[in-house]
Amino acid sequence: MLRIGLTGGIGSGKSTVATLLVEHGAVLVDADVLAREVVAPGTPGLAAVVEAFGDGVLGLDGALDRPALAAVVFADPQQRARLDSLVHPLVRARAAELVAAAPPDAVVVQDVPLLVETGQAGSYDLVVVVQASLPVRLSRLEQRGMTEADARARIAGQATDEERAAVADVLLHNDGTREELAAQVEAFWRTRVAPADR
Ligand code: ADP
């Protein structure tokens, strides 16, 4: 098994790279997907979040009311840390289960937006970092429907490009076209993944 940690700032193109790696045959474990799964209706994770933050974060349908929860935690770093301390261990445990269930010769890619912020670089055989310049990221996030102020606030809350580059085994540059990105992923797969002895 080869374990790849994939990260990058919001809007850098991380999800796009994850999709390209899956096309090459990787098994994807997506932290954002798991973060939703562990607080789905009926889970112990949701019960813990409701116990910590009150019934106000529960929608009428019994699912987590994400905007209500976001309003609580984005305004208050302590509440944010409290939420993270509930959800992150559940995400890590579920990710570990999925990695353990992958075939022994699999290339497992874990898409972890906060890999650098949460000090997880040492958990992978290879860390792949996707980078794009700030104006490019802002314009792509705006095309995705995010306001510029929201995009800037999220970027400011994450690690810097330098911090991510410092832990990268491989840097992918995504200021160009999708085809240019795909070519870099193909070269990475051919030179660093395919020859690996697993
Ligand atoms: P992240 O997962 O890092 O937030 P995404 O992969 O979702 O980033 O990319 C952000 C947005 O930019 C998406 O809408 C995606 O389709 C688009 N995008 C990514 N790479 C390119 C590219 N090279 N050219 C044009 N659009 C791109």
Side-chain angles (χ1 to χ4, degrees):
M1 182 178 292
L2 184 74
R3 288 186 63 186
I4 299 174
L6 171 64
T7 195
I10 183 168
S12 61
K14 198 171 8 59
S15 312
T16 307
V17 169
T19 303
L20 290 164
L21 290 170
V22 167
E23 286 169 15
H24 283 284
V27 173
L28 177 63
V29 175
D30 186 326
D32 279 342
V33 171
L34 299 186
R36 286 191 289 274
E37 203 181 288
V38 298
V39 293
T43 57
L46 180 59
V49 169
V50 172
E51 196 186 322
F53 296 97
D55 286 344
V57 301
L58 204 54
L60 292 174
D61 56 356
L64 190 61
D65 182 344
R66 291 180 174 278
L69 182 61
V72 176
V73 300
F74 280 111
D76 183 341
Q78 273 184 334
Q79 298 284 50
R80 177 71 195 266
R82 195 162 162 225
L83 177 63
D84 287 348
S85 74
L86 291 174
V87 175
H88 286 178
L90 297 172
V91 170
R92 287 187 196 199
R94 182 73 185 125
E97 269 175 30
L98 293 174
V99 172
D105 62 348
V107 176
V108 177
V109 173
Q110 289 183 245
D111 180 339
V112 185
L114 300 182
L115 185 149
V116 172
E117 292 83 343
T118 54
Q120 294 182 65
S123 312
Y124 304 96
D125 299 312
L126 284 174
V127 173
V128 175
V129 171
V130 190
Q131 294 207 323
S133 65
L134 182 62
V136 168
R137 290 165 70 191
L138 288 174
S139 112
R140 287 183 186 151
L141 289 172
E142 281 176 59
Q143 275 172 30
R144 213 163 66 177
M146 201 178 278
T147 66
E148 185 180 332
D150 199 9
R152 282 186 185 274
R154 282 166 189 258
I155 288 169
Q158 296 186 334
T160 62
D161 284 351
E162 291 71 26
E163 287 164 336
R164 275 186 292 264
V167 303
D169 295 298
V170 176
L171 266 182
L172 302 176
H173 300 281
N174 189 25
D175 278 339
T177 63
R178 289 173 190 279
E179 289 69 26
E180 284 164 336
L181 182 65
Q184 291 173 69
V185 172
E186 196 278 323
F188 162 67
W189 190 274
R190 186 165 28 81
T191 59
R192 304 292 296 270
V193 179
D197 184 12
R198 292 191 287 279

